[in-house]
Amino acid sequence: MIAEGSERATLLVSCPDRRGIVAALAQVLYGHGANIFDSVQHTDPLAAQFFQRLHFDLTDLQTDRATLERAISEVAERFGMRYELRFQRQARRVALFVSRYDHCLYDLLLRHRSGELCCELPLIISNHPELEPVARQFGVEFKVVPVSTDAKSAAETAELELLAERGIELVVLARYMQILSADFIGKFPGKIINIHHSFLPAFVGGKPYHQAYQRGVKLIGATAHYVSAVLDEGPIIEQDVVRCSHRDAIEDLVRKGRDLEKVVLARAVRLHLEERLLIFGNKTVVFE
Amino acid sequence: MIAEGSERATLLVSCPDRRGIVAALAQVLYGHGANIFDSVQHTDPLAAQFFQRLHFDLTDLQTDRATLERAISEVAERFGMRYELRFQRQARRVALFVSRYDHCLYDLLLRHRSGELCCELPLIISNHPELEPVARQFGVEFKVVPVSTDAKSAAETAELELLAERGIELVVLARYMQILSADFIGKFPGKIINIHHSFLPAFVGGKPYHQAYQRGVKLIGATAHYVSAVLDEGPIIEQDVVRCSHRDAIEDLVRKGRDLEKVVLARAVRLHLEERLLIFGNKTVVFE
Amino acid sequence: MIAEGSERATLLVSCPDRRGIVAALAQVLYGHGANIFDSVQHTDPLAAQFFQRLHFDLTDLQTDRATLERAISEVAERFGMRYELRFQRQARRVALFVSRYDHCLYDLLLRHRSGELCCELPLIISNHPELEPVARQFGVEFKVVPVSTDAKSAAETAELELLAERGIELVVLARYMQILSADFIGKFPGKIINIHHSFLPAFVGGKPYHQAYQRGVKLIGATAHYVSAVLDEGPIIEQDVVRCSHRDAIEDLVRKGRDLEKVVLARAVRLHLEERLLIFGNKTVVFE
Amino acid sequence: MIAEGSERATLLVSCPDRRGIVAALAQVLYGHGANIFDSVQHTDPLAAQFFQRLHFDLTDLQTDRATLERAISEVAERFGMRYELRFQRQARRVALFVSRYDHCLYDLLLRHRSGELCCELPLIISNHPELEPVARQFGVEFKVVPVSTDAKSAAETAELELLAERGIELVVLARYMQILSADFIGKFPGKIINIHHSFLPAFVGGKPYHQAYQRGVKLIGATAHYVSAVLDEGPIIEQDVVRCSHRDAIEDLVRKGRDLEKVVLARAVRLHLEERLLIFGNKTVVFE
């Protein structure tokens, strides 16, 4: 799990709160020669749960990474921590799922190419062939896995095989218009990000812009969330809104919403890739 | 209905769309010497419904107001219009309903005193006595009408009498924590504005900040709407949101929400007083 | 100037305010069988200047377009109006100027392809060759016109020839890093839109993100404006901001700013194409 | 400096960056039995400067506060730290300076009364008598110190005496329309917060709403900043904006701006009172 030669690393931890956690983590990093650049901590007072993100430099590491990781895992065991340690060079491998809308796809591909998203992007899966030329422009493999109502399970098996073969660690549903099964979701817990085109929990389910139009709201929104077994009810990562009015027809809401969807999804993916997200219950802790 | 001597007037109209409406209204105003300062029109293409707001100057009126109004009412009849003509000097008489929260009350009273809200504010009704000193500071009559579960109807009767005696045309529920009966609402159709402390339709009903906290949203909101017979489902006038995070406890959401509630309610009241709102079905047309 | 067969048209007018303008315009449209869908008017009280946008349907036009236009031009003469009448089918021809940044270019090309921008986009001019492949992907002609300090005038001559040959009516500077001469600008008065990466008038001139970083602002912005002879001082069309903090290095400001620049420039171009912009003095009237 | 009996404390530190600071601070708190609830750290990579805010619980303190503070001061000396340690019960004493505008004054007084601002508010100083009744309503001492051009220095001497006598630690200029001398400012370094009614650095100096109107901006803003010797150029704490348009006359900008000024100033004061602000050079680090 440790790649040699990288210069920075991030440690994300959560555990039941008790005294001494901050000191213990700071001590273990200091003791190995790691220099903490950025750290942020949060204690949920109701749940008595501790969360911390530590971002540190390894240039002057006095031991090797394996030794550092072993020391961290000992602290983690002592405090009953869940933790994730990631060295900067271990770029995550991400797959995009799309259907026919291209705006989020283009947006993520362009951000990736400009260096905004620190990940590898080796695979796009779609239930339709239309966006293949976009993938080709960016040199990304594009696999069509059609999804029919009566053969959904077979489609998911094919998708899971592709994800496994390509070593995918994060799945981004970039306006993918199929509902994943609980089984599929269970194989990527906290590793599937979806963009929903409303400010959840308003307008759950299908055609949220039509629902928003009917209700006459003065703001429309978009919500990026982790996918959980209950549709549109997973932990929310990021949300934003834009003003609308009686002059906006449904197609105007759709157009305005596209800009929101792109930005909100990209922010969520970036937060995940920079190890800034922790899931606790059905909520997220976001260390911006 | 016409006060002599005022200089400006506003005409709000709606009717089924057909050719010639704009020309007919412009012609009647021009013909009487009124100078249109500001006009805005909207046609709902799905409903084929026409809406217009005309704001005009009467300085050089060549007839009198009664004649002008008669001419307008003739045009209205011809096109099947609902219309509202209001001369600037006819300040509306507004009553505020409050319970124990004082932030919206103070906000509206201060805005009124600074001249932001063109209305008279002769009456505050509350189901609790606590805010009486605030009313006294601003020289506004304060009436306590307690509401008990088993005598709700009697309370509403008392409230309606007060509203009638004081000549109230608009009721503003400034965090009033009682639900009005359909009967009461029916007596003030499109004349009761409420502030709800969520971005409706999310978190309908009671304790929306608690609901928002539970759901882990990243935005909280406030919604000003006309009160209709179905709770929290009346036509939305104005909404706004503010960012929140995992660090916000429920009391932080409440605190942040207060700033939203004040501003959103004040904007809605102002829009109503400036004749910028038309209700159509369960939506509003807002001529900002 | 009139293309036969289109169904809708837009009329933009401005003139010194006086009584009867609204009635005269409504009458001429009504008299020819045009049905006004959407109209909005504004009178600047200090300058006593009148502005109006009328959007109308021609399906039941009882004369032909030439006759309608003649009638409008007679009204215009009577009131001393400047006006612009545009039939929907007359899509404007737009040229994009770019340098090496691709984000605004991609954004406009994608919006154009998705139908958001009602125009033709036949030409991209750049002082560098790097973005040629992007133009090719979208099937748009790409011309490199290098600009050297000592041959700026020759470059502009070449650019103006290209614009003339391709029948260009609007020039969009999509992060074009050259300053146009007053001479060039004078040939496209009110027809060149630029995006500046600050909330003007803060941080005029070069490297605004560096300036913003130095000043320690908590918001960064972007401004779309018409280009006038004085750098960064032309009429502002649209602005927006995004929050930043001490954690943002200059490259973070650049990254956050890209999202703003794209959206703000696209909104401005769209407003221009939909005939929603009027220039008056050094300001714009925006009929959203 | 240490009040006995309080339960929480906050430590703010800044110093040149080097390894071991986080560990040393965590260790000293842990060693005395303090439990860190919330901590956030930032390292400015260009300036190689370290900043941290630690918020901790003292319920199980194993020594006394004097001992804890001595230990902290030893760490501070070792690392060349500037630090501020504040126990929750030591509510700061704040003075408000006002002139004739009452909106920020009312806003701060109401927030203070509702418990939003953890401070004592014993004194209001004004160069005009008009707002005395407001102060009286809230039971706050109100002192008029007239400022004439030729006796400015005498006025400031009187003000400084009042501040000293009342033990004031923070001065909030709540739309105070006088410019303080460098001498006065030097006596409260980083302890005077002002609200400026523009998004600085745009529209420095007087009448920013008039300047904004002239320039035709589409956003107006407000900026809360620490007062430094150079007018409107002190470290920015918080900024926000609101949309405006050609329809807004100067008085509309003033009205919209009031809502901004109130909220932005209140946020800045709250951040200061909660020990979330560090000044570095001419910028702030804001630990939200």
Side-chain angles (χ1 to χ4, degrees):
Chain A
M1 187 181 159
I2 296 181
E4 292 302 323
S6 69
E7 305 290 284
R8 296 266 183 110
T10 307
L11 176 64
L12 264 182
V13 307
S14 67
C15 61
D17 188 34
R18 66 186 233 220
R19 253 203 312 285
I21 309 174
V22 176
L25 288 169
Q27 195 54 52
V28 77
L29 292 178
Y30 177 57
H32 288 71
N35 189 27
I36 300 173
F37 250 61
D38 202 80
S39 109
V40 56
Q41 172 212 334
H42 172 66
T43 305
D44 184 315
L46 297 183
Q49 189 77 7
F50 174 94
F51 306 92
Q52 189 169 17
R53 178 186 188 266
L54 293 139
H55 185 61
F56 45 94
D57 188 274
L58 302 172
T59 312
D60 300 324
L61 200 62
Q62 286 155 11
T63 59
D64 60 11
R65 284 154 196 227
T67 309
L68 174 63
E69 188 162 23
R70 209 153 44 232
I72 289 169
S73 95
E74 280 167 21
V75 173
E77 199 165 337
R78 183 146 43 100
F79 287 95
M81 278 174 189
R82 288 192 301 155
Y83 78 98
E84 183 157 359
L85 174 65
R86 186 166 284 261
F87 295 93
Q88 202 163 38
R89 295 223 176 138
Q90 299 166 278
R92 265 199 196 72
R93 293 174 65 80
V94 177
L96 308 181
F97 277 45
V98 298
S99 291
R100 285 194 181 100
Y101 295 116
D102 67 358
H103 56 286
C104 285
L105 175 62
Y106 258 112
D107 187 70
L108 291 171
L109 289 169
L110 286 166
R111 287 180 199 274
H112 181 254
R113 199 166 71 184
S114 78
E116 272 188 41
L117 303 174
C118 288
C119 64
E120 291 174 32
L121 232 166
L123 178 65
I124 298 168
I125 290 178
S126 179
N127 55 332
H128 294 292
E130 284 85 343
L131 299 181
E132 198 275 335
V134 181
R136 206 182 325 126
Q137 280 172 30
F138 289 83
V140 182
E141 184 184 19
F142 186 87
K143 289 284 185 183
V144 179
V145 182
V147 180
S148 62
T149 325
D150 53 346
K152 186 153 187 157
S153 164
E156 288 198 347
T157 303
E159 289 159 3
L160 287 167
E161 267 171 35
L162 280 166
L163 298 178
E165 281 167 28
R166 303 303 186 273
I168 299 302
E169 295 171 87
L170 177 70
V171 172
V172 176
L173 308 182
R175 295 300 311 276
Y176 180 64
M177 307 306 277
Q178 293 291 324
I179 297 171
L180 299 174
S181 71
D183 196 49
F184 186 107
I185 295 163
K187 294 211 166 62
F188 283 85
K191 306 291 180 195
I192 308 174
I193 295 176
N194 183 46
I195 181 73
H196 188 269
H197 38 314
S198 84
F199 47 87
L200 288 175
F203 311 131
V204 165
K207 296 197 170 287
Y209 291 128
H210 288 72
Q211 294 182 55
Y213 180 82
Q214 287 307 323
R215 184 61 187 91
V217 289
K218 303 301 183 188
L219 298 171
I220 55 166
T223 304
H225 63 95
Y226 284 116
V227 175
S228 68
V230 188
L231 185 66
D232 297 339
E233 301 212 346
I236 292 172
I237 302 169
E238 170 65 348
Q239 304 187 283
D240 213 340
V241 295
V242 69
R243 298 194 80 80
C244 59
S245 82
H246 61 271
R247 286 176 280 113
D248 291 308
I250 289 173
E251 1 4 321
D252 296 307
L253 301 184
V254 169
R255 170 179 54 79
K256 288 183 170 185
R258 278 199 295 260
D259 282 340
L260 275 183
E261 295 164 24
K262 288 188 291 192
V263 168
V264 170
L265 179 57
R267 278 191 215 142
V269 171
R270 185 178 160 87
L271 289 168
H272 184 97
L273 293 175
E274 294 186 348
E275 313 282 341
R276 296 180 180 280
L277 298 174
L278 277 159
I279 298 176
F280 179 61
N282 201 42
K283 297 183 182 185
T284 58
V285 169
V286 182
F287 288 135
E288 274 182 283
Chain B
M1 188 183 160
I2 296 183
E4 293 299 325
S6 69
E7 304 291 285
R8 297 267 181 109
T10 306
L11 177 64
L12 263 182
V13 308
S14 65
C15 61
D17 188 34
R18 67 186 232 221
R19 255 202 311 285
I21 309 174
V22 176
L25 288 169
Q27 195 53 52
V28 78
L29 292 177
Y30 177 58
H32 287 73
N35 190 26
I36 301 174
F37 251 60
D38 201 80
S39 109
V40 57
Q41 172 213 333
H42 172 67
T43 305
D44 183 317
L46 297 183
Q49 189 77 7
F50 174 95
F51 307 92
Q52 189 170 15
R53 177 185 189 266
L54 293 139
H55 185 61
F56 45 94
D57 189 274
L58 302 171
T59 312
D60 300 324
L61 202 60
Q62 287 155 10
T63 60
D64 61 11
R65 284 154 197 227
T67 310
L68 174 63
E69 188 163 22
R70 208 155 43 234
I72 288 170
S73 95
E74 281 166 22
V75 174
E77 199 165 337
R78 181 146 43 100
F79 288 94
M81 277 174 190
R82 289 190 301 156
Y83 78 96
E84 182 155 1
L85 174 65
R86 185 164 285 261
F87 295 93
Q88 201 163 41
R89 293 223 178 140
Q90 299 165 279
R92 266 200 195 71
R93 293 175 63 81
V94 177
L96 307 181
F97 277 47
V98 297
S99 292
R100 287 194 178 100
Y101 295 114
D102 66 358
H103 55 287
C104 285
L105 174 62
Y106 258 112
D107 187 70
L108 291 170
L109 289 168
L110 286 166
R111 287 180 198 274
H112 181 253
R113 200 167 69 185
S114 76
E116 272 186 43
L117 303 174
C118 288
C119 64
E120 291 175 32
L121 232 165
L123 178 63
I124 298 168
I125 290 178
S126 179
N127 55 331
H128 294 290
E130 283 86 340
L131 299 182
E132 198 275 333
V134 182
R136 207 183 324 126
Q137 280 172 29
F138 289 83
V140 182
E141 184 184 19
F142 186 89
K143 288 284 186 184
V144 179
V145 182
V147 180
S148 61
T149 324
D150 53 347
K152 187 153 186 155
S153 164
E156 288 197 347
T157 303
E159 290 158 4
L160 287 166
E161 266 172 35
L162 280 165
L163 298 178
E165 283 167 27
R166 304 302 185 276
I168 299 301
E169 295 171 85
L170 176 70
V171 173
V172 177
L173 309 182
R175 297 300 311 276
Y176 180 63
M177 307 306 276
Q178 293 291 325
I179 296 170
L180 299 173
S181 72
D183 196 48
F184 186 107
I185 294 164
K187 294 211 165 62
F188 282 86
K191 306 291 180 196
I192 309 175
I193 295 177
N194 183 46
I195 180 74
H196 188 269
H197 38 317
S198 83
F199 47 88
L200 288 175
F203 311 131
V204 165
K207 295 196 171 288
Y209 292 128
H210 288 71
Q211 293 182 55
Y213 180 81
Q214 286 307 323
R215 184 60 187 93
V217 290
K218 302 301 182 188
L219 298 171
I220 56 167
T223 303
H225 63 96
Y226 284 117
V227 174
S228 69
V230 188
L231 183 67
D232 296 339
E233 301 213 347
I236 292 172
I237 302 169
E238 169 68 347
Q239 305 188 282
D240 213 340
V241 294
V242 70
R243 297 194 80 80
C244 58
S245 80
H246 61 272
R247 284 176 280 115
D248 290 308
I250 289 174
E251 39 298 9
D252 297 307
L253 301 184
V254 169
R255 169 179 54 80
K256 288 183 169 184
R258 279 199 295 260
D259 282 338
L260 276 183
E261 294 163 25
K262 289 187 291 192
V263 168
V264 169
L265 179 58
R267 279 190 215 143
V269 171
R270 184 176 161 87
L271 289 168
H272 185 99
L273 293 175
E274 294 185 350
E275 312 283 340
R276 297 180 181 278
L277 297 175
L278 277 160
I279 298 175
F280 178 62
N282 201 43
K283 297 184 183 184
T284 58
V285 169
V286 183
F287 288 135
E288 274 182 280
Chain C
M1 188 181 160
I2 295 183
E4 293 301 322
S6 70
E7 304 291 284
R8 297 266 182 107
T10 307
L11 177 64
L12 263 183
V13 308
S14 65
C15 61
D17 189 34
R18 67 186 232 221
R19 253 201 312 284
I21 309 173
V22 176
L25 287 169
Q27 195 54 51
V28 77
L29 292 178
Y30 177 58
H32 288 72
N35 190 27
I36 299 173
F37 251 61
D38 203 80
S39 110
V40 57
Q41 173 213 333
H42 172 68
T43 304
D44 183 315
L46 297 183
Q49 189 77 5
F50 174 93
F51 307 92
Q52 189 170 16
R53 178 186 188 266
L54 293 139
H55 185 61
F56 45 95
D57 189 274
L58 302 172
T59 313
D60 299 325
L61 201 60
Q62 286 155 11
T63 61
D64 60 11
R65 284 155 196 226
T67 309
L68 174 63
E69 189 162 22
R70 209 153 44 231
I72 289 170
S73 94
E74 281 167 22
V75 174
E77 199 164 339
R78 180 146 44 101
F79 287 95
M81 279 175 189
R82 287 190 302 154
Y83 79 97
E84 182 157 359
L85 174 65
R86 186 166 284 260
F87 295 93
Q88 200 164 40
R89 294 221 177 141
Q90 300 165 276
R92 264 201 197 72
R93 293 174 65 79
V94 177
L96 307 182
F97 277 45
V98 297
S99 291
R100 286 194 179 100
Y101 295 117
D102 66 358
H103 56 287
C104 286
L105 175 61
Y106 259 112
D107 187 70
L108 291 171
L109 289 169
L110 286 166
R111 288 180 198 275
H112 181 254
R113 200 166 71 185
S114 78
E116 271 187 42
L117 303 174
C118 289
C119 64
E120 291 174 33
L121 230 164
L123 178 65
I124 299 168
I125 290 178
S126 179
N127 54 331
H128 294 290
E130 284 86 343
L131 299 181
E132 197 276 333
V134 181
R136 207 183 324 127
Q137 280 172 31
F138 289 83
V140 181
E141 185 185 19
F142 186 89
K143 289 285 186 183
V144 179
V145 182
V147 180
S148 60
T149 324
D150 52 347
K152 188 153 186 156
S153 165
E156 289 197 346
T157 303
E159 289 159 2
L160 287 167
E161 266 171 35
L162 280 166
L163 299 178
E165 282 166 26
R166 305 301 186 274
I168 298 302
E169 294 172 87
L170 176 69
V171 172
V172 177
L173 309 181
R175 295 302 310 277
Y176 179 64
M177 307 305 278
Q178 292 290 326
I179 296 170
L180 298 173
S181 72
D183 196 48
F184 186 107
I185 295 164
K187 295 214 164 60
F188 283 85
K191 305 293 179 194
I192 308 175
I193 295 176
N194 182 46
I195 180 73
H196 188 268
H197 38 316
S198 83
F199 47 86
L200 288 175
F203 311 130
V204 166
K207 296 197 169 286
Y209 292 128
H210 288 72
Q211 293 183 54
Y213 180 83
Q214 286 306 324
R215 184 61 186 92
V217 290
K218 302 302 183 186
L219 298 171
I220 55 166
T223 303
H225 63 96
Y226 284 116
V227 175
S228 68
V230 188
L231 184 67
D232 297 339
E233 301 212 347
I236 292 172
I237 302 169
E238 170 68 348
Q239 304 187 283
D240 213 340
V241 294
V242 69
R243 298 193 79 80
C244 58
S245 81
H246 61 272
R247 285 177 280 114
D248 290 308
I250 289 173
E251 40 297 11
D252 297 306
L253 301 185
V254 169
R255 171 179 54 80
K256 289 184 169 184
R258 278 199 295 261
D259 282 340
L260 276 183
E261 294 164 25
K262 288 188 291 192
V263 169
V264 170
L265 179 58
R267 279 191 215 142
V269 171
R270 186 177 159 87
L271 289 167
H272 185 98
L273 293 175
E274 294 185 349
E275 313 282 340
R276 296 180 181 279
L277 298 174
L278 278 160
I279 297 175
F280 179 62
N282 200 42
K283 296 184 184 186
T284 59
V285 170
V286 183
F287 288 136
E288 274 183 282
Chain D
M1 187 183 160
I2 296 182
E4 294 301 322
S6 69
E7 303 291 285
R8 295 266 183 110
T10 306
L11 177 64
L12 264 182
V13 308
S14 66
C15 61
D17 188 33
R18 67 186 231 222
R19 254 203 311 285
I21 309 173
V22 177
L25 288 168
Q27 195 54 50
V28 77
L29 293 177
Y30 178 58
H32 289 72
N35 190 26
I36 301 173
F37 250 60
D38 202 80
S39 108
V40 56
Q41 173 213 333
H42 172 67
T43 305
D44 184 316
L46 297 183
Q49 189 77 5
F50 174 95
F51 306 92
Q52 189 170 16
R53 177 185 188 267
L54 293 139
H55 186 61
F56 46 93
D57 189 274
L58 302 171
T59 312
D60 300 324
L61 201 61
Q62 286 155 11
T63 60
D64 61 11
R65 284 154 196 227
T67 309
L68 174 64
E69 189 163 22
R70 208 153 45 230
I72 289 169
S73 94
E74 280 165 22
V75 173
E77 198 165 338
R78 182 146 42 101
F79 288 94
M81 278 173 190
R82 288 191 302 155
Y83 78 97
E84 182 154 1
L85 173 65
R86 185 164 286 260
F87 295 93
Q88 201 163 42
R89 294 223 176 139
Q90 299 166 278
R92 265 200 197 70
R93 292 174 66 81
V94 177
L96 306 182
F97 277 46
V98 298
S99 291
R100 286 193 179 99
Y101 294 115
D102 67 357
H103 55 286
C104 286
L105 175 61
Y106 259 112
D107 186 70
L108 291 170
L109 289 168
L110 285 166
R111 287 180 198 273
H112 182 254
R113 200 166 72 184
S114 77
E116 271 187 42
L117 303 174
C118 287
C119 64
E120 291 174 33
L121 231 166
L123 178 64
I124 298 168
I125 290 178
S126 180
N127 54 331
H128 294 290
E130 283 87 341
L131 300 181
E132 198 275 333
V134 182
R136 207 182 325 124
Q137 280 171 30
F138 290 82
V140 181
E141 184 185 20
F142 186 89
K143 288 284 185 182
V144 179
V145 181
V147 180
S148 61
T149 323
D150 52 347
K152 189 155 185 152
S153 165
E156 289 198 348
T157 303
E159 290 160 3
L160 287 167
E161 266 171 35
L162 280 166
L163 299 179
E165 282 166 27
R166 304 302 186 275
I168 298 302
E169 294 170 87
L170 176 70
V171 172
V172 176
L173 308 182
R175 297 299 313 276
Y176 180 63
M177 307 306 277
Q178 292 290 324
I179 297 170
L180 298 174
S181 72
D183 196 48
F184 186 107
I185 295 164
K187 294 211 165 61
F188 283 85
K191 305 292 179 195
I192 308 175
I193 295 176
N194 183 45
I195 180 74
H196 188 267
H197 38 317
S198 84
F199 47 87
L200 289 175
F203 311 131
V204 165
K207 296 198 169 289
Y209 292 128
H210 289 72
Q211 294 183 53
Y213 180 82
Q214 286 306 324
R215 183 61 186 92
V217 289
K218 302 302 181 187
L219 298 171
I220 54 166
T223 304
H225 63 95
Y226 285 116
V227 174
S228 68
V230 188
L231 184 67
D232 296 339
E233 300 213 348
I236 293 172
I237 302 169
E238 169 67 347
Q239 303 187 284
D240 214 341
V241 295
V242 70
R243 297 194 80 80
C244 59
S245 82
H246 62 271
R247 283 176 282 113
D248 291 308
I250 289 173
E251 41 293 14
D252 296 306
L253 301 185
V254 169
R255 169 179 55 78
K256 289 183 169 185
R258 279 198 294 260
D259 282 339
L260 275 183
E261 295 163 24
K262 288 188 291 192
V263 168
V264 169
L265 179 58
R267 279 190 215 142
V269 171
R270 185 177 161 87
L271 289 168
H272 184 98
L273 294 175
E274 294 185 349
E275 313 282 342
R276 296 181 181 279
L277 297 175
L278 276 160
I279 298 175
F280 179 62
N282 201 42
K283 298 183 181 185
T284 58
V285 169
V286 182
F287 287 135
E288 274 182 281

